[in-house]
DNA sequence: GCTGGCACTCGGGATCGCAGAGTGCCAGAC
DNA sequence: GTCTGGCACTCTGCGATCCCGAGTGCCAGC
C-alpha cells in the first residue's frame, strides 16, 4: 500500500502533466505544490511509484509521466467528479431547451459536450429496445403494400415497408391498427413480442398472412440493433491531443467512423454510473492512447442510451466527468418532458 | 495564349506533383515525360508559366508546384474525367444494391465514395423541397396534440408535433387526413403551399384553427432548410493530406462539422454537371487549401441533392471526378428504383 | 527557337557542442 | 527510520555550422 504522501505525489504528477503536457520532475513538483518535503524525498517517492508501475520515464533522466495504471488510480481514488458551476449548468439547460425534436436534442447534445470538454463527443440515439411505444401507424401505399411507422416515447420514428401476401382491405387495416395500438401503446419494446403473438388469430384466414407479415416487420424493427445510431462531434479537438497528435489521430479517426466499434465500447460499459476506460483498457486498438468517459442517460430512472467523450489519456478527468454527467442529466430531463 | 507545349509542361507538372508530393524540376520532367525538348527549354517554359501565375516556387531554387490557377487550367482544359473501369462500376453497383432503406443508401454512398477516392466524402440527403410527397399522416397523440408525419418519395420521413388551439375530433382528423393526401400526394413539395391554401375553408369554424396550425407546421417542415442533412465519412483520409497535414487538418475538420457551411458550399455549385472548387475558390477560409468536387444526384433527370468529396488541392482530379460522377449516377438509379 | 554549359542559390540532413533539467545515490541530520 | 542537501552523471533539445545536391537563370552558339 502506498503511503498518503506518495498518493499526493501521484496526484500532483497527474495534475501537472495534464496541465503542461510535459514530463514533470521532482523540483517542479515541490515548487508548484506545497508538499512540505524536499525534491530529494519526492525523488524517492517517484522511484517507488515507478516500481509499482504508476508512472514512467519517457527517457532516462527526464521527468515522469503517469501510466494508464497511474491514471486509473487517480480516477478511482484521488480525484472526484468536479461539479459544473451554476452558470455552466444554466448554459447547458438553456442550450438544450431550445431543441425542437429528437434529432435536434441529439445534435445539440453533441455540440455541447464537445464544447464543454473540448474533446470528441459521442452520443447514442435513445435505444429502441428500451423505449416504450407511443404509437404504431399503418398506411396503405398500394393494395398489397403497407408502410409501418413506429413512434417511440422519445420521439424517434422508424418506418418500414411491408409487402402483403394478399390484398388487405381498408377495414382490416383500421382494425389491425386499432388492435395493435391498444395492445402496445405505452408498453416497452421488449414486451411487444409477447403482447402481439396471438394477434393473427383474431383475423379472418385470408388476412392472417398480412398480419403476420406486419408483425414480423415490427419485430425486425425492434430487434434491429444495427439501427443504433451514433452522432459524433468535435473531431477538430483531436488536434489538441498533444505534440504527437499526427501519429495518434489517424487510428482514432478510423475508430470514430466505425460506429459498430464505438457502440460495442459504450455498450460494454456498465449500465449505471459513469465508466472511464483508460488507454489500453479499451479493447479496440485504435483507441489505446485515448480514454473514453461514458455514462447512460434516459428519461426515467433507467438508461436509454449512452453518451460520452473520447480524449487523450492525458485529460482532465474530474472536469470531463463532471461535464459528461451534467449533460447526461439534462438530456434525460429534456427527454422526459417531451 | 500559352503554346501547346507549355500546356503539356503544365500538365506534366501537375501529374508529377500529384504523384510525388514534391516540387518538380525541369530535369525530372524531361526524364519522366518525353516532351522531346531539353531541360533548358523546359526551364524557359516554366519561367513563362510562372509569370502567368500557373505555377510557383516554394523557395528560390526549388522545383515548381502548381498554383490554384494552374490546377484550374488543368481541370478545365488539360484533363478529362477518367471513367471508372468495368470492375469498379460493378463493385459500386453491388455495394449500393445491398441497401435496405434511405439511411442505408446514404451511409453506403459515403463509405463508398471515401474508399474510392481515398478522400473525405460528403453526401447530402435528398432535399425535401425538390422531392414529391408520398403520404401525409396525422395522428392524435392527445386530444389537442397531433403528430404530423411526412413521407417522401425518396423514403425520407419527417415528423413534427402540432399543438391544436382546440380539441380536434377523430372524424375531423380523418377528414383532414384524406383531404390533405388527395391534394398533395404525388406532388412536388414546392407546389404544396399553393395546393392547400384554401383547405381551412372546407372545415367548420371551430376546426379551422387546428387545420391552419397543421398546415403551417407542414410548411415549416417543407421550408426548413436547416433540416438539410449531411453525412460525412472518410475523415481518416485527411491524414494523407501531405507533410503539412498537421496544420491543415484542424480548419478542415472544423469546416466539416459546420454542416451549414458545407451545405452552402455545395448549394452554390451549379445545379447540373460537376463542380470543382479549387483552393481559394472556396469561399470558406478553412477550406482554402482544399478542393471540393461535387455533383448533383437524383432519381429523375433533376438533382435532388449533392454529393462530393473534399481533398487536398493536390489531388487526382480526373480520377476523383470519375468516381464522384459514377457514384452519383448509381445512387440516382437506386433512388429511382425504390 | 532550342541546347549545353556554367555560376549561383538555397533547403535539408548530418555533425558537433552546450546548457538545462532531471535522476540516483550517499552521507549526514533530526 | 526518514528526510535532506550535495554531487556526479545522463540525457534531450536547441542552435550553429557545414556540405551536398537539386534546381535555377542566363548566355553564347547552333
Amino acid at each position: 500500500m502506498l503511503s498518503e504522501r506518495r498518493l499526493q505525489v501521484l496526484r500532483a504528477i497527474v495534475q501537472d502533466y495534464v496541465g503542461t503536457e510535459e514530463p514533470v520532475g521532482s523540483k517542479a513538483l515541490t515548487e508548484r505544490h506545497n508538499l512540505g518535503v524536499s525534491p530529494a524525498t519526492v525523488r524517492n517517492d517517484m522511484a517507488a511509484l515507478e516500481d509499482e508501475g504508476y508512472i514512467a520515464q519517457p527517457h532516462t533522466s527526464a521527468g515522469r509521466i503517469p501510466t494508464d495504471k497511474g491514471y486509473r488510480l487517480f480516477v478511482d481514488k484521488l480525484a472526484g467528479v468536479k461539479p459544473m458551476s451554476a452558470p455552466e449548468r444554466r448554459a447547458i439547460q438553456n442550450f438544450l431547451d431550445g431543441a425542437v425534436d429528437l434529432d435536434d436534442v441529439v445534435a445539440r447534445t453533441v455540440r455541447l459536450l464537445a464544447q464543454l470538454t473540448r474533446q470528441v463527443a459521442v452520443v447514442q440515439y435513445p435505444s429502441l429496445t428500451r423505449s416504450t411505444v407511443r404509437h404504431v401507424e399503418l398506411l396503405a401505399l398500394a393494395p398489397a403494400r403497407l408502410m409501418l411507422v413506429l413512434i417511440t416515447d422519445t420521439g424517434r420514428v422508424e418506418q418500414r415497408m411491408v409487402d402483403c401476401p394478399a390484398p388487405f382491405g381498408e377495414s382490416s387495416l383500421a382494425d389491425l391498427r386499432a388492435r395493435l395500438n391498444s395492445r402496445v401503446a405505452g408498453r416497452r419494446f421488449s414486451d411487444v413480442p409477447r403482447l402481439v403473438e396471438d394477434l393473427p388469430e383474431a383475423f379472418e384466414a385470408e388476412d392472417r398472412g398480412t398480419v403476420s407479415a406486419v408483425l414480423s416487420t415490427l419485430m425486425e424493427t425492434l430487434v434491429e440493433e444495427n439501427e443504433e445510431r451514433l452522432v459524433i462531434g468535435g473531431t477538430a479537438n483531436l488536434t489538441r491531443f498533444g505534440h504527437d497528435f499526427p501519429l495518434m489521430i489517424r487510428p482514432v479517426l478510423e475508430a470514430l467512423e466505425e460506429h459498430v466499434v464505438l457502440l460495442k465500447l459504450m455498450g460494454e460499459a456498465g449500465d449505471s454510473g459513469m465508466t472511464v476506460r483508460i488507454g489500453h483498457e479499451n479493447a479496440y486498438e485504435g483507441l489505446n492512447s485515448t480514454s473514453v468517459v461514458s455514462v447512460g442517460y434516459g428519461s426515467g430512472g433507467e438508461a436509454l442510451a449512452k453518451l460520452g467523450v473520447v480524449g487523450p489519456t492525458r485529460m482532465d478527468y474530474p472536469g470531463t466527468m463532471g461535464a459528461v454527467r451534467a449533460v447526461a442529466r439534462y438530456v434525460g430531463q429534456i427527454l422526459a418532458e417531451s
Side-chain angles (χ1 to χ4, degrees), chain A:
Chain A
M1 191 50 205
L2 292 167
S3 77
E4 184 56 31
R5 196 190 57 226
R6 288 191 178 157
L7 292 177
Q8 277 190 33
V9 169
L10 177 58
R11 177 195 283 127
I13 291 173
V14 171
Q15 288 170 350
D16 274 22
Y17 183 64
V18 166
T20 64
E21 291 189 37
E22 271 166 20
V24 15
S26 53
K27 195 173 157 207
L29 259 197
T30 53
E31 280 166 5
R32 299 170 52 126
H33 308 259
N34 40 358
L35 298 169
V37 291
S38 77
T41 309
V42 171
R43 279 205 287 282
N44 289 329
D45 292 342
M46 287 169 119
L49 286 168
E50 185 165 9
D51 281 346
E52 303 284 336
Y54 295 110
I55 55 179
Q57 298 184 79
H59 330 280
T60 316
S61 91
R64 306 304 216 290
I65 61 177
T67 59
D68 290 350
K69 188 179 172 190
Y71 286 123
R72 167 54 57 203
L73 185 60
F74 176 79
V75 169
D76 289 346
K77 300 277 161 62
L78 302 176
V81 174
K82 187 175 153 205
M84 297 271 95
S85 69
E88 280 172 322
R89 288 211 300 273
R90 264 199 304 280
I92 293 175
Q93 195 151 24
N94 285 339
F95 190 67
L96 291 180
D97 273 346
V100 301
D101 64 4
L102 180 66
D103 285 338
D104 200 21
V105 171
V106 173
R108 282 170 184 253
T109 304
V110 144
R111 271 190 116 88
L112 183 62
L113 205 48
Q115 270 179 20
L116 283 174
T117 62
R118 308 202 58 182
Q119 283 166 161
V120 179
V122 181
V123 178
Q124 183 184 2
Y125 264 73
S127 161
L128 279 185
T129 46
R130 296 183 206 168
S131 325
T132 60
V133 179
R134 177 177 275 162
H135 187 86
V136 178
E137 185 58 34
L138 280 171
L139 314 172
L141 297 179
R145 194 138 199 244
L146 302 179
M147 174 175 265
L148 174 71
V149 181
L150 179 67
I151 301 164
T152 79
D153 59 340
T154 50
R156 188 159 163 183
V157 177
E158 291 287 321
Q159 85 281 5
R160 285 287 185 292
M161 294 302 170
V162 184
D163 286 311
C164 312
F168 198 59
E170 186 58 45
S171 63
S172 304
L173 187 67
D175 189 20
L176 176 56
R177 183 190 293 131
R179 284 174 188 269
L180 253 182
N181 276 294
S182 73
R183 295 204 185 192
V184 303
R187 311 304 294 261
R188 316 173 98 260
F189 278 31
S190 48
D191 297 336
V192 169
R194 188 171 47 75
L195 291 165
V196 299
E197 60 185 350
D198 62 340
L199 208 49
E201 295 162 22
F203 287 79
E204 301 293 330
E206 56 184 11
D207 283 343
R208 280 187 199 153
T210 296
V211 172
S212 296
V214 168
L215 292 182
S216 64
T217 304
L218 180 59
M219 304 307 175
E220 271 173 36
T221 312
L222 299 179
V223 175
E224 204 147 304
E225 273 181 319
N226 55 2
E227 275 298 328
E228 303 267 10
R229 278 176 57 200
L230 276 186
V231 179
I232 296 183
T235 48
N237 290 325
L238 286 175
T239 56
R240 309 183 329 107
F241 245 55
H243 15 61
D244 51 7
F245 99 89
L247 298 172
M248 314 306 335
I249 195 172
R250 166 137 221 185
V252 178
L253 278 173
E254 279 167 357
L256 290 175
E257 296 218 337
E258 289 298 330
H259 289 192
V260 184
V261 170
L262 284 180
L263 284 166
K264 195 155 165 246
L265 216 65
M266 299 184 78
E268 282 170 359
D271 234 23
S272 60
M274 195 150 22
T275 305
V276 181
R277 290 273 159 104
I278 298 168
H280 290 80
E281 295 170 11
N282 291 302
Y284 186 74
E285 197 178 346
L287 296 176
N288 276 180
S289 56
T290 68
S291 287
V292 180
V293 177
S294 59
V295 68
Y297 71 93
S299 49
E302 194 184 14
L304 286 174
K306 303 275 173 62
L307 59 75
V309 304
V310 178
T313 52
R314 171 191 44 68
M315 70 162 68
D316 168 20
Y317 289 95
T320 303
M321 291 166 79
V324 168
R325 192 177 64 183
V327 170
R329 277 190 191 155
Y330 286 106
V331 176
Q333 281 184 19
I334 300 279
L335 290 180
E337 286 164 15
S338 67

